[in-house]
């Protein structure tokens, strides 16, 4: 399933990715934001489960912001996983 998430309080605007029935995340794409970082993050976590991504990235902040693109990815994959599982 392809999932698109509208991020909150970051430079990027959207995150899109595929999530399979096992919660494995692939093909992550950020729209907007810091190009170098947002090309690196998908390469590092591609093929991880939503829970693995959340365990590593949830709560990561950017400067004075209470969130970051990495944190928003964690939020997005958990939301997609919940929707996929009907919870």
């Amino acid at each position: 399933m392809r999932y698109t998430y509208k991020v909150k309080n970051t430079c990027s605007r959207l995150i899109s990715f595929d999530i399979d029935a096992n919660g494995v995340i692939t093909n992550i794409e950020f729209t907007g934001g810091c190009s170098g970082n947002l090309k690196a993050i998908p390469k590092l976590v591609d093929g991880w489960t939503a829970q693995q991504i959340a365990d590593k990235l949830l709560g990561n902040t950017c400067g004075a912001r209470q969130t970051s693109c990495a944190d928003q990815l964690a939020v997005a994959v958990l939301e997609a996983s919940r929707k996929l599982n009907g919870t």
Side-chain angles (χ1 to χ4, degrees):
M1 167 178 96
R2 188 77 178 158
Y3 193 81
T4 299
Y5 179 80
K6 185 174 178 2
V7 301
K8 298 161 187 74
N9 301 315
T10 66
C11 298
S12 63
R13 297 180 304 278
L14 295 172
I15 306 170
S16 298
F17 52 88
D18 294 325
I19 181 169
D20 72 11
N22 297 314
V24 175
I25 308 297
T26 56
N27 303 314
I28 302 165
E29 296 176 355
F30 286 84
T31 302
C34 305
S35 180
N37 288 334
L38 300 181
K39 288 178 187 171
I41 293 170
K43 290 178 182 179
L44 295 171
V45 300
D46 188 72
W48 289 15
T49 65
Q51 190 60 56
Q52 288 172 314
I53 292 171
D55 289 347
K56 290 290 183 181
L57 301 180
L58 197 62
N60 189 64
T61 60
C62 182
R65 296 177 185 176
Q66 297 298 308
T67 190
S68 67
C69 293
D71 178 63
Q72 288 292 290
L73 174 60
V75 170
V77 298
L78 288 176
E79 180 178 289
S81 181
R82 282 191 289 271
K83 286 185 179 186
L84 184 67
N85 294 317
T87 57

